[in-house]
Amino acid sequence: MRPQNAKSIHSLPEGTGIQRAELPRLDLLRSFEAAARLLSFTLAADELALTQSAVSRQIQMLEADLDVPLFERRHRALALTDAGKVMQRAVVESLERLRDATARVRTTTPMRQVAITTSPGFASLWLIPRLAKFTADHPGVDVRVSATMEELDLDRSRIDVAVRFCPMAKGLGQPLFEESVVPVCAPQLVNTGAHPLKTAHDLQHHTLLAVDTPQGMALTADWTPWFEIMGLSDLHMKSTMRFTQYADAIAAAVAGQGVVIGRMPLLNELLRDGRLVAPFQNLAASRRGYFIMASARAAGNPDAQDFIRWLRAEAEGVGRA
């Protein structure tokens, strides 16, 4: 039965609110809930990462604040008093409602996200090494990268930005940069071994690191622009290693396993730090390049717009390097 002087929260005058002095401290309630559920100060202390004496002291403070005992201290056992049972039901109900409200708020808070799709080679060799710069300047933005050769439907896949590789004449969207190609390899292939790479004709003594091409295209299709400017259309290399991903062919080149056609500027950093070298400096335009495409959803995503601006700034930096 409710004491006559007790007040219901619902009967408080509008705008009065709950006064701070009317509520026990939340840390005391957490300790009480654990102790009431486990009927042990020791087990509650273990769960809360506190000492047993700290939990016991907090329960005593709560009982003093309420001016009523909440536990019966029996020999090596605890039991809730009637007041303790009432308090336990109220605390558990309140904490559950607070937990549920917190979960609802978290799920309704829109996540700041930028979703990007691009080819695996561009992602691993150019985008990902730079991505920390963007995330450092945009804390709280979740960046999702889908690296695939498949041209995903941006709206259906809920993607903001695509960086697509295609012929310059057929490019859609904003041009990022045009590609040039040149053979690259590990430094030791240029300077040591039975057939150091001194002239372009020395390539015939080395292994071609190639990426699988669509059916009907020559395995050396990526080399064609460079072969043409060097007048080496009939050149055949000693042997071939084939890969499904361009980044794997580059890893093999860094390991000294052969020569690969270098797509610039994707490999600028590898050349700059000396992991790869270009023994012949004759760059050939591949007449292909990278383009930025934005989906309809990107127009309403300020972080996606920032990402597009960041991509262009990074590409301009590459052009100046």
Side-chain angles (χ1 to χ4, degrees):
M1 183 175 181
R2 183 190 299 277
Q4 291 183 354
N5 62 349
K7 292 183 179 179
S8 166
I9 291 176
H10 298 290
S11 66
L12 292 173
E14 186 178 351
T16 301
I18 300 174
Q19 300 302 311
R20 187 172 182 178
E22 294 177 313
L23 294 175
R25 284 168 29 193
L26 185 58
D27 59 328
L28 303 186
L29 294 179
R30 284 184 69 237
S31 294
F32 168 74
E33 186 281 328
R37 173 167 39 85
L38 300 169
L39 291 177
S40 168
F41 292 163
T42 301
L43 294 177
D46 290 341
E47 181 177 292
L48 299 171
L50 299 172
T51 63
Q52 189 271 349
S53 60
V55 170
S56 178
R57 186 165 56 252
Q58 289 183 339
I59 299 301
Q60 292 172 4
M61 293 172 62
L62 181 60
E63 291 175 325
D65 183 45
L66 297 172
D67 197 22
V68 63
L70 300 174
F71 291 94
E72 293 179 13
R73 275 80 166 172
R74 299 173 180 173
H75 180 63
R76 294 186 178 180
L78 287 178
L80 286 167
T81 64
D82 289 343
K85 293 175 182 177
V86 171
M87 198 67 184
Q88 183 191 31
R89 286 194 296 271
V91 170
V92 169
E93 180 183 346
S94 299
L95 291 177
E96 286 180 346
R97 292 179 65 184
L98 182 60
R99 178 200 61 199
D100 293 344
T102 301
R104 286 196 300 272
V105 168
R106 282 176 175 162
T107 56
T108 56
T109 301
M111 178 184 291
R112 294 177 60 193
Q113 184 184 82
V114 180
I116 310 109
T117 182
T118 189
S119 65
F122 181 86
S124 61
L125 296 170
W126 195 91
L127 177 61
I128 291 173
R130 292 169 166 79
L131 204 51
K133 299 178 187 177
F134 178 82
T135 55
D137 291 337
H138 297 79
V141 177
D142 177 23
V143 179
R144 180 167 61 93
V145 180
S146 177
T148 175
M149 295 304 294
E150 181 184 359
E151 289 197 2
L152 301 177
D153 182 283
L154 303 189
D155 294 318
R156 187 179 302 125
S157 302
R158 300 184 63 78
I159 290 173
D160 298 292
V161 181
V163 177
R164 297 267 166 82
F165 181 61
C166 55
M168 294 300 294
K170 297 181 180 179
L172 299 175
Q174 305 176 43
L176 191 60
F177 46 68
E178 187 173 1
E179 178 192 73
S180 297
V181 294
V182 67
V184 296
C185 61
Q188 61 264 32
L189 296 192
V190 176
N191 302 315
T192 60
H195 300 284
L197 280 168
K198 300 301 182 182
T199 70
H201 287 281
D202 293 324
L203 286 168
Q204 63 186 317
H205 303 294
H206 291 266
T207 298
L208 168 70
L209 303 176
V211 179
D212 283 338
T213 56
Q215 191 170 7
M217 292 181 64
L219 189 60
T220 56
D222 282 351
W223 287 73
T224 298
W226 190 80
F227 279 160
E228 287 178 351
I229 70 164
M230 298 296 292
L232 297 171
S233 301
D234 297 328
L235 180 71
H236 295 285
M237 297 175 72
K238 181 184 72 171
S239 58
T240 302
M241 286 188 189
R242 301 175 66 157
F243 302 87
T244 57
Q245 300 294 340
Y246 182 63
D248 294 335
I250 296 303
V254 172
Q257 296 178 12
V259 186
V260 68
I261 197 67
R263 299 176 181 173
M264 316 306 291
L266 297 192
L267 306 184
N268 280 4
E269 294 300 321
L270 293 174
L271 291 173
R272 189 173 292 120
D273 64 23
R275 282 180 286 171
L276 289 175
V277 295
F280 321 112
Q281 296 300 316
N282 310 73
L283 282 168
S286 72
R287 299 179 290 277
R288 299 181 296 183
Y290 292 87
F291 293 80
I292 302 172
M293 294 180 62
S295 66
R297 61 184 262 126
N301 183 348
D303 294 313
Q305 297 301 316
D306 284 347
F307 186 81
I308 291 171
R309 284 189 287 270
W310 173 80
L311 277 177
R312 293 183 64 81
E314 285 294 310
E316 290 173 4
V318 168
R320 291 191 297 267

